[in-house]
């Protein structure tokens, strides 16, 4: 009966609303009286609905108590099941949050002559990588004799030339910096192995000056304005690339440039070739032959050949028959100090490996340039996540044998793949039996970072006291030492004789 009364009341309210609408159209003098009646009926209807909800909740509560809380327990179990499913889905998504492949890159620039591919934000894959959310990785590829259009970035850039030969030109504002100098720009010829920093906001452009070889540049960007986000601002340009000048109103451009509309249309609508374009050999030669930096102070320290650091111009920090490691540390290259970054290049000989090692405070971002292989890493975070998921998000009442459990994180490596090894996570990298594995590495938080070897000469375990070894391993110290002294190599070793089946295809 109560429900029928509510339905009747709703119908009456609807009729009054229709009547009010009709009166409004006819401008009837009784309109105000009708509107007041509608308002009162609406308020009464809302009160009835609120009362109905309260009565329903009370009936459900009483029914649950009468069943001994069975419904409540069922609800709890359902909620627990949903939480477990969410954790399992999250764990599946984070099954290997440290490995990134082709599908994880987005194309920022794509022309017939080249491309710029940018790796997704690290935190998009997993919250475990939020420590490097301010960093992005990008890869530039450009055909021979091409020009990369001028731009500036709202991020700090460090570039590594992995293949090819380039010329980069940076523009500066001498008046702003109160420096007396004849030149407003400096150009540098770059070779394979060169590292160079482009400070945030500095306009620059590049050419691939080689007539035959492609240019391959790996970039690390430290975002500043918006964590994890960066933009390229193109000044010169037209429709492609679009110039940021065109964002201003026509009146502003006419006033600031003292140009008429015809001139502006001609200036900002003719370019349609994209940011990477073919250039004649004559123009490339002219750009590469401009005087390189020799004197002056810009933007910090000497703006000269010291602005470039070539990894291959000095002896490797570690080298043997199984591989070589070249490093540019903040103390070696002043340009890296302000961004707290180091750059390294590892050439792992085929059928060899580097590690196991870990870095005390640096998170390592590695980009595969050539070859194939795989990596393994010990991670406590994913193991902990899985354990919680198996218990439905509740802690087990059984005592645990250890406070930490580890999960092996691994993945196949090939050109273009990026993998991350967080600080203090032990890892190894293994080259296939078919080719050397060449890796470009950026190490974030490099100041004061220490590399700890876990095998071979100078490994950590050999530095423990005798008593500490015996207590930690529950073995006589001589037995522990006999095992950790078997390997007399240093950092690079012969690879495993047996490959895991899951990586078999990577080495065929």
């Amino acid at each position: 009966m109560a429900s029928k009364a509510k339905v009747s009341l709703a119908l009456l309210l609807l009729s009054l609303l229709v009547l009010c609408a009709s009166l409004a159209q006819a401008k009837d003098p009784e309109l105000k009286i009708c509107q007041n009646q509608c308002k009162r009926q609406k308020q009464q209807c809302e009160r009835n609905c609120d009362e109905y909800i309260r009565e329903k909740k009370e009936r459900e509560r009483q029914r649950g108590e009468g069943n001994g809380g069975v419904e409540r327990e069922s609800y709890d179990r359902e909620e627990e099941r949903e939480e477990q499913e969410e954790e399992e889905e999250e764990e599946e998504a984070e099954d290997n949050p440290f490995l990134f492949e082709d599908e994880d890159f987005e194309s920022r620039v794509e022309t017939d002559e080249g491309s710029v591919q940018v790796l997704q934000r690290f935190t998009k894959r997993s919250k475990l990588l939020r420590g490097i959310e301010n960093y992005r990785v990008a890869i530039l590829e450009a055909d021979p004799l091409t020009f990369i259009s001028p731009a500036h970035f709202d991020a700090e850039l460090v570039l590594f030339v992995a293949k090819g030969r380039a010329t980069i030109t940076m523009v500066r504002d001498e008046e702003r910096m109160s420096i007396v100098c004849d030149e407003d720009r400096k150009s540098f010829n770059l070779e394979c192995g060169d590292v160079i920093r482009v400070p945030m906001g500095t306009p620059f452009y590049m050419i691939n000056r080689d007539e035959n070889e492609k240019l391959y540049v790996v970039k690390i960007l430290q975002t500043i304005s918006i964590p994890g986000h960066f933009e390229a601002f193109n000044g010169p340009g037209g429709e492609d690339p679009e110039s940021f000048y065109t964002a201003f109103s026509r009146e502003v451009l006419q006033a600031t440039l003292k140009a008429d509309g015809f001139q502006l249309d001609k200036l900002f609508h003719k370019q349609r070739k994209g940011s990477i374009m073919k250039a004649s050999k004559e123009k490339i030669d002219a750009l590469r032959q401009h005087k390189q930096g020799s004197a002056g102070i810009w933007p910090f320290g000497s703006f000269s050949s010291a602005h470039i650091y070539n990894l291959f111009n000095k002896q490797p920090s570690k080298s043997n028959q199984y591989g070589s490691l070249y490093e540019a540390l903040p103390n070696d290259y002043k340009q890296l100090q302000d961004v707290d970054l180091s750059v390294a290049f590892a050439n792992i000989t085929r059928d060899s490996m580097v590690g196991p090692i870990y870095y005390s405070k640096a998170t390592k971002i590695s980009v595969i340039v050539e070859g194939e292989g795989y990596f393994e890493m010990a991670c406590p975070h994913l193991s902990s996540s899985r354990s919680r998921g198996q218990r439905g998000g509740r802690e087990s009442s059984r005592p645990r044998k250890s406070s930490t459990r580890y999960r092996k994180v691994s993945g196949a490596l090939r050109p273009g793949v990026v993998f991350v090894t967080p600080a203090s996570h032990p890892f190894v990298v293994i080259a296939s039996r078919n080719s050397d594995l060449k890796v470009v590495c950026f190490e974030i938080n490099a100041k004061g970072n220490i590399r700890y070897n876990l095998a071979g000469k100078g490994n950590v375990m050999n530095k423990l006291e005798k008593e500490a070894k015996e207590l930690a391993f529950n073995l006589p110290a001589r037995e522990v030492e006999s095992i950790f002294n078997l390997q007399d190599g240093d950092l690079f070793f012969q690879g495993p004789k047996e490959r895991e089946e899951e990586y078999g295809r990577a080495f065929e």
Side-chain angles (χ1 to χ4, degrees):
M1 292 296 292
S3 60
K4 288 183 178 180
K6 290 182 177 62
V7 171
S8 300
L9 182 60
L11 290 173
L12 177 60
L13 177 60
L14 178 61
S15 300
L16 287 170
L17 290 173
V18 173
L19 177 60
C20 288
S22 300
L23 291 173
Q25 290 178 353
K27 297 183 179 180
D28 193 287
E30 298 179 357
L31 173 61
K32 190 171 184 179
I33 298 174
C34 180
Q35 288 175 333
N36 290 334
Q37 289 178 344
C38 288
K39 188 180 296 184
R40 286 194 294 271
Q41 293 288 354
K42 182 181 178 181
Q43 291 171 347
Q44 181 61 41
C45 183
E46 290 175 348
R47 285 195 293 271
N48 290 340
C49 289
D50 291 340
E51 183 179 352
Y52 170 75
I53 293 298
R54 285 195 297 270
E55 291 175 353
K56 181 179 179 181
K57 288 183 177 179
E58 179 64 19
R59 288 195 301 270
E60 290 176 348
R61 185 187 64 79
Q62 294 175 354
R63 190 160 52 243
E65 291 178 354
N67 293 334
V70 173
E71 290 189 0
R72 180 70 247 177
E73 291 179 7
S74 176
Y75 175 80
D76 287 343
R77 285 195 300 271
E78 179 65 20
E79 188 178 52
E80 184 176 310
R81 184 185 64 80
E82 290 177 357
E83 289 178 356
Q84 181 175 349
E85 288 178 353
E86 288 178 359
E87 287 186 359
E88 290 174 352
E89 288 175 0
E90 181 179 354
E91 178 190 343
E92 183 178 354
E94 296 185 356
D95 188 54
N96 191 346
F98 306 103
L99 184 74
F100 300 84
E101 302 188 81
D102 293 344
E103 59 270 21
D104 299 311
F105 284 82
E106 63 173 346
S107 180
R108 286 284 185 98
V109 175
E110 194 78 44
T111 74
D112 293 338
E113 284 73 36
S115 66
V116 176
Q117 304 293 323
V118 178
L119 185 64
Q120 68 182 27
R121 289 180 293 111
F122 291 108
T123 49
K124 184 177 180 181
R125 172 67 66 83
S126 172
K127 61 185 179 181
L128 294 176
L129 299 176
R130 58 185 177 270
I132 55 173
E133 66 175 342
N134 289 336
Y135 293 86
R136 300 292 297 274
V137 171
I139 296 175
L140 162 69
E141 290 188 75
D143 287 343
L145 300 180
T146 48
F147 175 73
I148 295 93
S149 186
H152 70 266
F153 286 76
D154 60 348
E156 294 279 355
L157 273 75
V158 174
L159 285 62
F160 177 81
V161 181
K163 297 178 184 177
R165 301 187 301 160
T167 297
I168 185 170
T169 300
M170 301 187 207
V171 180
R172 56 184 176 177
D173 188 340
E174 301 293 359
E175 182 179 357
R176 176 68 175 171
M177 301 200 64
S178 301
I179 297 173
V180 179
C181 187
D182 295 333
E183 297 182 61
D184 293 328
R185 63 180 180 270
K186 293 292 181 181
S187 298
F188 301 93
N189 287 332
L190 304 177
E191 308 286 343
C192 182
D194 276 337
V195 179
I196 190 167
R197 176 189 172 193
V198 180
M200 179 177 175
T202 301
F204 74 100
Y205 47 96
M206 298 178 66
I207 59 169
N208 179 356
R209 56 190 172 89
D210 196 282
E211 297 183 37
N212 302 303
E213 188 177 11
K214 270 195 170 188
L215 177 65
Y216 191 91
V217 177
V218 184
K219 309 177 186 179
I220 184 85
L221 299 99
Q222 182 185 24
T223 63
I224 305 295
S225 301
I226 304 175
H229 294 268
F230 74 92
E231 293 294 339
F233 293 82
N234 300 290
E239 295 183 6
D240 185 14
E242 181 181 0
S243 171
F244 58 69
Y245 280 103
T246 60
F248 296 102
S249 65
R250 197 176 186 84
E251 294 78 12
V252 168
L253 290 178
Q254 288 176 337
T256 55
L257 299 180
K258 289 188 176 181
D260 59 33
F262 175 78
Q263 291 173 310
L264 293 177
D265 289 340
K266 185 177 181 180
L267 182 63
F268 293 120
H269 292 285
K270 195 171 182 180
Q271 177 58 270
R272 299 184 181 91
K273 296 180 180 179
S275 298
I276 304 175
M277 63 196 78
K278 197 73 175 177
S280 67
K281 189 175 184 305
E282 292 74 22
K283 289 185 177 179
I284 293 293
D285 287 341
L287 288 169
R288 66 177 289 189
Q289 291 172 7
H290 285 165
K291 183 180 178 183
Q292 296 196 52
S294 57
I297 301 174
W298 180 87
F300 29 67
S302 176
F303 191 79
S304 64
S305 59
H307 198 73
I308 307 172
Y309 187 96
N310 190 286
L311 290 180
F312 305 141
N313 282 349
K314 71 169 190 175
Q315 293 297 317
S317 55
K318 295 288 183 181
S319 182
N320 57 33
Q321 61 180 316
Y322 303 115
S324 300
L325 177 67
Y326 301 84
E327 296 178 288
L329 305 176
N331 290 336
D332 299 326
Y333 180 38
K334 191 177 187 304
Q335 301 295 326
L336 297 177
Q337 291 181 10
D338 289 344
V339 290
D340 196 8
L341 191 75
S342 66
V343 183
F345 182 89
N347 185 1
I348 308 171
T349 307
R350 65 182 65 191
D351 212 19
S352 302
M353 62 187 293
V354 60
I357 58 174
Y358 71 86
Y359 289 89
S360 62
K361 60 179 292 188
T363 292
K364 192 181 192 76
I365 301 172
S366 302
V367 183
I368 307 303
V369 177
E370 286 186 24
E372 294 179 334
Y374 70 95
F375 83 101
E376 294 182 1
M377 182 176 71
C379 180
H381 307 296
L382 296 178
S383 179
S384 300
S385 173
R386 170 168 289 185
S387 299
R388 288 195 301 270
Q390 290 173 346
R391 293 193 299 269
R394 295 171 180 261
E395 292 295 332
S396 172
S397 59
R398 292 179 297 175
R400 299 180 62 180
K401 292 183 178 180
S402 173
S403 59
T404 304
R405 299 185 67 84
Y406 303 96
R407 179 176 166 190
K408 182 186 76 173
V409 177
S410 57
L413 305 176
R414 59 180 178 275
V417 167
V418 176
F419 69 98
V420 178
T421 48
S424 296
H425 283 52
F427 69 96
V428 295
V429 182
I430 302 99
S432 76
R433 61 172 61 95
N434 300 320
S435 62
D436 294 353
L437 184 62
K438 299 180 180 180
V439 190
V440 177
C441 308
F442 301 102
E443 293 159 13
I444 299 168
N445 299 325
K447 295 176 183 176
N449 178 57
I450 300 173
R451 181 178 63 240
Y452 285 96
N453 295 335
L454 299 175
K457 293 180 180 178
N459 76 78
V460 172
M461 299 306 153
N462 279 342
K463 296 181 180 181
L464 301 180
E465 295 174 311
K466 173 184 175 182
E467 293 77 12
K469 294 174 186 175
E470 292 178 342
L471 290 169
F473 288 98
N474 196 24
L475 284 173
R478 64 179 180 277
E479 292 188 32
V480 176
E481 293 167 356
S482 66
I483 294 174
F484 279 100
N485 284 326
L486 289 173
Q487 177 60 264
D488 59 358
D490 189 5
L491 189 62
F492 294 95
F493 311 113
Q494 173 68 49
K497 295 185 181 301
E498 296 182 1
R499 308 294 189 185
E500 292 191 27
E501 184 178 349
E502 60 182 301
Y503 303 112
R505 288 178 300 213
F507 306 113
E508 297 300 330

